[in-house]
Amino acid sequence: MRVLSIVGARPQFIKHAVIQRKLREYGISEVLLHTGQHFDLNMSEIFFESLSLTPPQIHLQTPLASSLSQLSYMLGSMQERLEGESFDYVLVYGDTTSTLAGSLFAKENGFALAHIEAGLRSYDHSMPEERNRVICDHLSDILFAPNSNALQNLQKEGVRGEVVVSGDIMEEGFSLFLPMAQKPLNVQIPSKFIFCTLHRQSNVDDKERLESLLQGLDEVSKQIPIILPLHPRTQKNIQSFSLSLPSSLIVLPPQGYLQTLWLISHSQMVFTDSGGVQKEASYGGKKCLVLREVSEWVELVESGACELLGERSIPRAYEEIKNQTLSWDKKPLNVSDRIIQSLLKHSSCTAMGEE
Ligand code: UDP
């Protein structure tokens, strides 16, 4: 079996680090393509080094641009760089422009498409992530749903591909990499703190929204320190809106995954608008305030692990949840194994058969 794996953004490097180990274990041949959507040391290279990912054979060096221009660039470059190649599967993750480009490329060239983290929905089509995941799910031949809510969403929509409830690949990644977690260097970490991330377009592309979130964080940080690794998009918007970061916040550059796991697991609580971080908080037994009005991870909200900010201010929501605690139900996971076994079953060839 020959697989083309397409990654381009931080959470995809993390998810693929788990899958790539399994591909190697099964002796499956892989071409890894990095679109370059995230490109610098802190948002890309660090993950390849620390999670032992093999360097990509193909790097598209996608320039910074609007998502539609990036999509068109990625498609053109994929077509050019992969001309004459053949794959049993194109493997894509999540909901980014790279996911959409990989999906369209696969179908244009008649390759089977496999989507990991399929079936998540916010039902908000103003979000580019929602549009990307819906299109990708409807094009996919095999869809790996992380849970039964995602399965139900896909069944309701009548997707044509085969759906496999695989479990959440990030939960396996969390268990796999947590024992390797590393304390960030060169920064004084207080004994108690809130870990916070903020980068979603709906929060940081609007000046008033961003300003009010920063004010909310400033107020809470008078009670308990807040550590905020700053996403490049948030940093750029703070500058372009002429806002300033409250000096009360402990602001760090984007962290590697092993450092992020350390910070989450040593925090008192997590504030985030990230999909991945809200799951990692709950996997680590930390209460999480989701800085959004909806979450695609419905079961985390229903179980009380995550609390939606909704229309409240951050300080008010914090007051309401600050004494709540969670436990972490650590269980052995074989999500990546289930995914690879399903690919092998779904494919007409076996792992070594056509090599
Ligand atoms: N993450 C990281 N460094 C950081 C912030 C986040 O390694 O400074 C990790 C985090 O642990 C999670 C992933 O990046 O696994 C989430 O990525 P992001 O928030 O960019 O995207 P989303 O999950 O919202 O798609």
Side-chain angles (χ1 to χ4, degrees):
M1 185 158 87
R2 188 162 190 251
V3 170
L4 171 67
S5 307
I6 296 185
V7 294
R10 175 167 73 182
Q12 295 167 340
F13 310 139
I14 297 167
K15 290 165 202 169
H16 191 60
V18 186
I19 291 290
Q20 196 182 65
R21 285 166 182 243
K22 215 32 100 175
L23 289 173
R24 273 190 230 135
E25 207 178 296
Y26 276 79
I28 293 172
S29 141
E30 181 199 32
V31 172
L32 178 59
L33 181 147
H34 186 334
T35 63
Q37 196 182 333
H38 285 167
F39 51 87
D40 59 14
L41 175 70
N42 288 335
M43 294 297 288
S44 172
E45 268 169 60
I46 194 168
F47 296 94
F48 280 81
E49 281 161 28
S50 62
L51 307 182
S52 305
L53 273 161
T54 57
Q57 285 95 329
I58 300 179
H59 199 305
L60 299 184
Q61 318 274 7
T62 303
L64 261 180
S66 70
S67 28
L68 284 184
S69 306
Q70 287 193 321
L71 178 66
S72 130
Y73 174 91
M74 286 177 196
L75 281 169
S77 312
M78 282 178 194
Q79 209 56 41
E80 196 184 304
R81 302 282 296 273
L82 292 163
E83 187 165 9
E85 299 270 1
S86 176
F87 302 99
D88 297 293
Y89 287 104
V90 175
L91 211 58
V92 295
Y93 294 87
D95 53 24
T96 68
T97 307
S98 305
T99 315
L100 181 57
S103 309
L104 294 172
F105 169 79
K107 293 293 93 188
E108 181 63 28
N109 291 281
F111 304 139
L113 176 64
H115 185 203
I116 296 181
E117 217 171 59
L120 300 184
R121 294 291 182 266
S122 66
Y123 298 104
D124 173 1
H125 287 94
S126 68
M127 287 175 67
E129 296 93 332
E130 180 74 1
R131 299 192 296 269
N132 295 341
R133 54 172 95 99
V134 169
I135 298 171
C136 176
D137 283 342
H138 283 266
L139 292 178
S140 291
D141 298 280
I142 182 158
L143 299 92
F144 295 103
N147 54 42
S148 54
N149 277 317
L151 169 69
Q152 280 167 21
N153 293 338
L154 295 168
Q155 285 172 335
K156 261 190 287 178
E157 290 174 26
V159 293
R160 59 168 195 94
E162 178 190 339
V163 182
V164 176
V165 182
S166 58
D168 180 18
I169 192 66
M170 289 203 76
E171 186 169 9
E172 183 175 340
F174 184 87
S175 311
L176 179 69
F177 292 115
L178 187 64
M180 301 171 217
Q182 290 172 7
K183 187 174 182 184
L185 297 173
N186 308 323
V187 54
Q188 199 72 22
I189 309 272
S191 58
K192 289 190 173 176
F193 62 90
I194 287 172
F195 176 74
C196 178
T197 73
L198 183 65
H199 77 287
R200 202 160 284 282
Q201 288 183 32
S202 53
N203 279 335
V204 305
D205 283 5
D206 178 81
K207 183 178 176 189
E208 278 74 43
R209 173 76 180 160
L210 179 57
E211 190 167 23
S212 98
L213 289 170
L214 292 175
Q215 274 165 5
L217 294 178
D218 185 30
E219 212 170 304
V220 172
S221 69
K222 289 176 184 137
Q223 287 186 58
I224 175 165
I226 296 181
I227 298 185
L228 173 72
L230 198 57
H231 192 283
R233 166 190 284 274
T234 314
Q235 181 170 31
K236 184 174 132 272
N237 289 355
I238 288 173
Q239 276 160 4
S240 62
F241 295 147
S242 305
L243 297 173
S244 49
L245 273 165
S247 57
S248 56
L249 303 180
I250 303 172
V251 178
L252 306 180
Q255 295 293 295
Y257 188 51
L258 302 181
Q259 288 71 20
T260 304
L261 288 180
W262 190 95
L263 288 166
I264 291 174
S265 58
H266 286 78
S267 70
Q268 298 298 111
M269 188 181 283
V270 171
F271 292 174
T272 190
D273 60 4
S274 152
V277 175
Q278 57 187 284
K279 288 186 289 168
E280 287 155 356
S282 80
Y283 298 148
K286 306 296 172 180
K287 182 84 189 178
C288 177
L289 178 63
V290 180
L291 305 175
R292 294 177 59 195
E293 295 196 1
V294 287
S295 169
E296 293 76 16
W297 299 95
V298 182
E299 51 298 311
L300 294 182
V301 177
E302 285 173 355
S303 72
C306 288
E307 175 95 10
L308 295 173
L309 177 64
E311 291 181 355
R312 291 174 293 180
S313 70
I314 296 180
R316 172 141 171 248
Y318 176 64
E319 276 312 309
E320 287 173 12
I321 62 173
K322 69 180 184 189
N323 296 320
Q324 297 179 11
T325 49
L326 290 181
S327 59
W328 179 30
D329 172 23
K330 190 175 185 314
K331 45 189 188 296
L333 289 162
N334 57 357
V335 182
S336 57
D337 207 62
R338 223 171 286 148
I339 289 174
I340 304 300
Q341 294 268 7
S342 306
L343 289 178
L344 288 168
K345 205 164 112 211
H346 191 260
S347 158
S348 54
C349 60
T350 60
M352 309 302 282
E354 291 190 353
E355 301 294 298

Coordinates of all heavy atoms in Angstrom, one line a residue, residues 66-122:
S66 N -4.5 35.0 1.2 CA -5.8 34.6 1.7 C -6.0 33.1 1.5 O -5.3 32.5 0.7 CB -6.8 35.3 0.8 OG -6.8 34.8 -0.5
S67 N -7.0 32.5 2.2 CA -7.1 31.1 2.1 C -7.4 30.6 0.7 O -7.0 29.6 0.2 CB -8.1 30.5 3.1 OG -9.1 31.4 3.4
L68 N -8.2 31.4 -0.1 CA -8.5 31.0 -1.5 C -7.3 31.0 -2.4 O -7.1 30.1 -3.2 CB -9.6 31.9 -2.1 CG -11.0 31.5 -1.6 CD1 -12.1 32.4 -2.3 CD2 -11.4 30.1 -1.7
S69 N -6.4 32.0 -2.2 CA -5.2 32.1 -3.0 C -4.3 30.9 -2.6 O -3.6 30.3 -3.4 CB -4.4 33.4 -2.8 OG -5.2 34.4 -3.0
Q70 N -4.3 30.6 -1.3 CA -3.4 29.5 -0.8 C -3.9 28.2 -1.4 O -3.2 27.3 -1.8 CB -3.4 29.4 0.7 CG -2.6 30.5 1.4 CD -2.4 30.2 2.8 OE1 -3.2 29.7 3.6 NE2 -1.2 30.6 3.3
L71 N -5.3 28.0 -1.4 CA -5.9 26.8 -1.9 C -5.5 26.6 -3.4 O -5.0 25.5 -3.8 CB -7.4 26.9 -1.8 CG -8.2 25.7 -2.4 CD1 -7.9 24.5 -1.6 CD2 -9.7 26.0 -2.3
S72 N -5.6 27.7 -4.2 CA -5.3 27.6 -5.6 C -3.8 27.3 -5.8 O -3.4 26.4 -6.6 CB -5.8 28.8 -6.3 OG -4.8 29.4 -7.1
Y73 N -2.9 27.9 -5.0 CA -1.5 27.7 -5.1 C -1.2 26.2 -4.7 O -0.5 25.5 -5.4 CB -0.7 28.6 -4.1 CG 0.7 28.3 -4.1 CD1 1.7 28.9 -4.9 CD2 1.2 27.3 -3.1 CE1 3.0 28.6 -4.9 CE2 2.6 27.0 -3.1 CZ 3.5 27.6 -3.9 OH 4.8 27.3 -3.9
M74 N -1.8 25.7 -3.6 CA -1.6 24.3 -3.2 C -2.0 23.3 -4.3 O -1.2 22.4 -4.6 CB -2.3 24.0 -1.9 CG -1.8 24.7 -0.6 SD -2.9 24.3 0.8 CE -2.3 25.5 2.0
L75 N -3.2 23.6 -4.8 CA -3.7 22.6 -5.8 C -2.7 22.6 -7.1 O -2.4 21.5 -7.5 CB -5.1 23.0 -6.3 CG -6.2 22.6 -5.3 CD1 -7.5 23.3 -5.7 CD2 -6.3 21.1 -5.3
G76 N -2.4 23.8 -7.5 CA -1.5 23.8 -8.7 C -0.1 23.1 -8.4 O 0.4 22.4 -9.2
S77 N 0.4 23.4 -7.2 CA 1.7 22.8 -6.9 C 1.6 21.3 -6.7 O 2.6 20.6 -7.1 CB 2.3 23.4 -5.6 OG 2.2 24.8 -5.6
M78 N 0.6 20.9 -6.1 CA 0.4 19.4 -5.9 C 0.4 18.7 -7.2 O 1.0 17.7 -7.4 CB -0.9 19.1 -5.1 CG -0.8 19.3 -3.6 SD -2.4 19.0 -2.8 CE -2.1 19.7 -1.2
Q79 N -0.4 19.3 -8.1 CA -0.6 18.7 -9.4 C 0.8 18.6 -10.1 O 1.1 17.6 -10.7 CB -1.6 19.5 -10.2 CG -2.4 18.8 -11.3 CD -3.2 17.6 -10.7 OE1 -3.7 17.7 -9.6 NE2 -3.1 16.5 -11.4
E80 N 1.6 19.6 -10.0 CA 2.9 19.7 -10.7 C 3.9 18.8 -10.0 O 4.5 18.0 -10.7 CB 3.3 21.2 -10.6 CG 4.4 21.5 -11.5 CD 4.9 23.0 -11.2 OE1 4.0 23.9 -11.2 OE2 6.1 23.2 -10.9
R81 N 3.9 18.8 -8.7 CA 5.0 18.0 -8.0 C 4.7 16.5 -8.0 O 5.6 15.7 -7.8 CB 5.2 18.6 -6.6 CG 5.5 20.0 -6.4 CD 7.0 20.3 -6.7 NE 7.9 19.7 -5.8 CZ 8.3 20.2 -4.7 NH1 7.8 21.4 -4.3 NH2 9.1 19.6 -3.9
L82 N 3.4 16.2 -8.1 CA 3.1 14.8 -8.0 C 2.6 14.1 -9.3 O 2.0 13.1 -9.3 CB 2.0 14.6 -6.9 CG 2.4 14.9 -5.5 CD1 1.2 15.1 -4.6 CD2 3.3 13.8 -4.9
E83 N 3.0 14.8 -10.3 CA 2.6 14.3 -11.7 C 3.1 12.9 -11.9 O 4.3 12.6 -11.6 CB 3.1 15.2 -12.8 CG 2.5 14.8 -14.0 CD 2.7 15.8 -15.2 OE1 3.4 16.8 -15.0 OE2 2.1 15.5 -16.2
G84 N 2.2 12.0 -12.4 CA 2.7 10.6 -12.7 C 2.7 9.7 -11.4 O 3.0 8.5 -11.6
E85 N 2.5 10.2 -10.3 CA 2.6 9.4 -9.0 C 1.2 8.7 -8.8 O 0.2 9.2 -9.3 CB 2.9 10.3 -7.8 CG 4.2 11.0 -7.9 CD 5.3 10.2 -7.2 OE1 5.1 9.1 -6.8 OE2 6.4 10.8 -7.2
S86 N 1.3 7.6 -8.1 CA 0.0 6.9 -7.8 C 0.0 6.5 -6.3 O 1.0 6.1 -5.8 CB 0.0 5.7 -8.7 OG -1.1 4.9 -8.4
F87 N -1.2 6.6 -5.8 CA -1.4 6.3 -4.3 C -2.6 5.5 -4.1 O -3.6 5.7 -4.8 CB -1.5 7.6 -3.5 CG -0.3 8.5 -3.7 CD1 -0.3 9.6 -4.6 CD2 0.9 8.3 -3.0 CE1 0.8 10.4 -4.8 CE2 2.0 9.1 -3.2 CZ 2.0 10.1 -4.1
D88 N -2.6 4.7 -3.1 CA -3.8 3.9 -2.7 C -4.7 4.8 -1.9 O -5.9 4.7 -1.9 CB -3.4 2.7 -1.9 CG -2.6 1.7 -2.8 OD1 -3.2 1.2 -3.7 OD2 -1.4 1.6 -2.5
Y89 N -4.1 5.7 -1.1 CA -4.9 6.6 -0.3 C -4.2 8.0 -0.2 O -3.0 8.1 -0.1 CB -5.0 6.2 1.2 CG -5.9 5.0 1.3 CD1 -5.4 3.7 1.5 CD2 -7.3 5.2 1.3 CE1 -6.3 2.7 1.7 CE2 -8.2 4.1 1.4 CZ -7.7 2.9 1.6 OH -8.5 1.8 1.7
V90 N -5.0 9.0 -0.2 CA -4.5 10.3 0.2 C -5.1 10.5 1.6 O -6.3 10.4 1.8 CB -5.0 11.4 -0.7 CG1 -4.6 12.8 -0.2 CG2 -4.3 11.2 -2.1
L91 N -4.3 10.8 2.6 CA -4.7 10.9 4.0 C -4.7 12.4 4.4 O -3.6 13.1 4.3 CB -3.6 10.2 4.8 CG -3.9 9.5 6.1 CD1 -5.0 8.5 5.8 CD2 -2.6 8.8 6.6
V92 N -5.8 12.9 4.8 CA -5.9 14.3 5.3 C -6.5 14.4 6.7 O -7.2 13.5 7.1 CB -6.7 15.2 4.3 CG1 -6.1 15.3 2.9 CG2 -8.2 14.7 4.2
Y93 N -6.2 15.5 7.4 CA -6.6 15.6 8.8 C -7.4 16.9 9.0 O -7.0 18.0 8.4 CB -5.3 15.8 9.6 CG -4.4 14.6 9.7 CD1 -3.5 14.4 8.7 CD2 -4.6 13.6 10.7 CE1 -2.6 13.3 8.8 CE2 -3.8 12.5 10.7 CZ -2.8 12.3 9.8 OH -2.0 11.2 9.8
G94 N -8.4 16.8 9.8 CA -9.0 18.0 10.3 C -9.7 18.9 9.3 O -10.5 18.4 8.5
D95 N -9.4 20.2 9.3 CA -10.3 21.2 8.7 C -9.6 22.4 8.1 O -10.2 23.5 8.1 CB -11.4 21.6 9.7 CG -10.8 22.1 11.0 OD1 -9.6 22.5 11.0 OD2 -11.5 22.0 12.0
T96 N -8.4 22.3 7.7 CA -7.7 23.5 7.3 C -7.7 23.6 5.7 O -8.2 22.7 5.0 CB -6.2 23.5 7.7 OG1 -5.6 22.4 7.0 CG2 -6.1 23.2 9.2
T97 N -7.1 24.7 5.2 CA -7.0 24.8 3.8 C -6.2 23.7 3.2 O -6.5 23.2 2.1 CB -6.3 26.2 3.4 OG1 -7.0 27.2 4.1 CG2 -6.2 26.5 2.0
S98 N -5.2 23.2 3.9 CA -4.4 22.0 3.4 C -5.3 20.8 3.3 O -5.1 20.0 2.4 CB -3.3 21.7 4.4 OG -2.5 22.9 4.6
T99 N -6.3 20.6 4.2 CA -7.2 19.5 4.2 C -8.0 19.6 2.9 O -8.2 18.6 2.2 CB -8.1 19.5 5.4 OG1 -7.4 19.8 6.6 CG2 -8.9 18.3 5.6
L100 N -8.5 20.8 2.6 CA -9.4 20.9 1.5 C -8.6 20.7 0.2 O -9.0 20.0 -0.7 CB -10.0 22.3 1.5 CG -10.9 22.7 0.4 CD1 -12.1 21.7 0.3 CD2 -11.5 24.1 0.5
A101 N -7.4 21.3 0.1 CA -6.5 21.1 -1.1 C -6.2 19.6 -1.3 O -6.4 19.1 -2.4 CB -5.2 21.9 -0.9
G102 N -5.9 18.9 -0.2 CA -5.6 17.5 -0.3 C -6.8 16.7 -0.8 O -6.6 15.8 -1.7
S103 N -7.9 17.1 -0.4 CA -9.2 16.4 -0.7 C -9.5 16.6 -2.2 O -9.8 15.6 -2.9 CB -10.4 16.9 0.1 OG -10.1 16.9 1.4
L104 N -9.4 17.8 -2.7 CA -9.7 18.1 -4.1 C -8.6 17.4 -5.0 O -8.9 16.9 -6.0 CB -9.7 19.6 -4.3 CG -10.9 20.3 -3.6 CD1 -10.7 21.9 -3.7 CD2 -12.2 19.9 -4.1
F105 N -7.4 17.5 -4.6 CA -6.3 16.9 -5.3 C -6.6 15.4 -5.5 O -6.4 14.8 -6.6 CB -4.9 17.1 -4.7 CG -3.8 16.3 -5.3 CD1 -3.2 16.7 -6.5 CD2 -3.4 15.1 -4.7 CE1 -2.2 15.9 -7.0 CE2 -2.5 14.3 -5.2 CZ -1.9 14.7 -6.4
A106 N -6.9 14.7 -4.4 CA -7.1 13.3 -4.4 C -8.2 12.9 -5.4 O -8.1 12.0 -6.2 CB -7.5 12.8 -3.0
K107 N -9.3 13.6 -5.3 CA -10.5 13.3 -6.2 C -10.2 13.6 -7.6 O -10.6 12.9 -8.5 CB -11.7 14.0 -5.7 CG -12.2 13.5 -4.3 CD -12.7 12.0 -4.4 CE -11.7 11.0 -4.0 NZ -12.2 9.6 -4.2
E108 N -9.5 14.7 -7.9 CA -9.2 15.1 -9.2 C -8.3 14.0 -9.9 O -8.4 13.8 -11.1 CB -8.4 16.4 -9.2 CG -7.9 17.0 -10.5 CD -9.1 17.4 -11.4 OE1 -10.2 17.7 -10.9 OE2 -9.0 17.3 -12.7
N109 N -7.5 13.3 -9.1 CA -6.6 12.3 -9.7 C -7.1 10.9 -9.5 O -6.3 9.9 -9.7 CB -5.2 12.5 -9.1 CG -4.6 13.8 -9.6 OD1 -4.1 13.9 -10.7 ND2 -4.7 14.9 -8.8
G110 N -8.3 10.7 -9.0 CA -8.8 9.4 -8.8 C -8.2 8.5 -7.7 O -8.3 7.3 -7.7
F111 N -7.7 9.2 -6.7 CA -7.1 8.5 -5.5 C -8.2 8.4 -4.4 O -9.0 9.3 -4.2 CB -5.9 9.2 -4.9 CG -4.8 9.4 -5.9 CD1 -4.1 10.6 -6.0 CD2 -4.5 8.4 -6.9 CE1 -3.0 10.8 -6.9 CE2 -3.5 8.6 -7.8 CZ -2.7 9.8 -7.8
A112 N -8.2 7.3 -3.7 CA -9.1 7.2 -2.5 C -8.7 8.2 -1.5 O -7.5 8.4 -1.2 CB -9.1 5.8 -2.0
L113 N -9.7 8.8 -0.9 CA -9.5 9.9 0.1 C -9.9 9.4 1.5 O -11.0 8.9 1.7 CB -10.3 11.1 -0.2 CG -10.2 12.3 0.8 CD1 -8.8 12.9 0.9 CD2 -11.2 13.4 0.3
A114 N -8.9 9.5 2.5 CA -9.2 9.1 3.9 C -9.2 10.4 4.8 O -8.1 11.1 4.7 CB -8.2 8.1 4.3
H115 N -10.2 10.6 5.5 CA -10.2 11.8 6.4 C -10.2 11.4 7.8 O -11.1 10.7 8.3 CB -11.5 12.6 6.1 CG -11.6 13.9 6.8 ND1 -12.8 14.6 7.1 CD2 -10.6 14.7 7.3 CE1 -12.5 15.7 7.7 NE2 -11.2 15.8 7.9
I116 N -9.2 11.9 8.5 CA -9.0 11.6 9.9 C -9.6 12.8 10.7 O -9.2 13.9 10.4 CB -7.6 11.3 10.3 CG1 -7.1 10.0 9.6 CG2 -7.4 11.2 11.8 CD1 -5.7 9.6 9.9
E117 N -10.5 12.6 11.6 CA -11.2 13.6 12.4 C -12.4 14.0 11.6 O -12.6 15.2 11.4 CB -10.3 14.7 12.8 CG -10.7 15.2 14.2 CD -9.6 16.3 14.7 OE1 -9.5 17.3 14.1 OE2 -9.1 16.0 15.8
A118 N -13.1 13.1 11.1 CA -14.3 13.4 10.2 C -15.5 13.6 11.1 O -15.6 13.1 12.2 CB -14.5 12.2 9.2
G119 N -16.5 14.3 10.5 CA -17.9 14.4 11.2 C -18.0 15.4 12.2 O -19.1 15.5 12.8
L120 N -17.0 16.3 12.5 CA -17.2 17.3 13.5 C -18.0 18.5 12.8 O -17.8 18.8 11.7 CB -15.8 17.9 14.0 CG -15.0 16.8 14.6 CD1 -13.7 17.5 15.1 CD2 -15.7 16.1 15.8
R121 N -18.9 19.1 13.6 CA -19.7 20.1 13.0 C -19.9 21.2 14.0 O -20.2 21.0 15.2 CB -21.1 19.6 12.6 CG -21.1 18.6 11.4 CD -20.6 19.3 10.1 NE -20.7 18.3 9.0 CZ -19.6 17.6 8.6 NH1 -18.5 17.7 9.2 NH2 -19.7 16.7 7.6
S122 N -19.9 22.5 13.6 CA -20.3 23.6 14.4 C -21.6 24.1 13.8 O -22.3 24.9 14.4 CB -19.3 24.7 14.4 OG -19.2 25.3 13.1

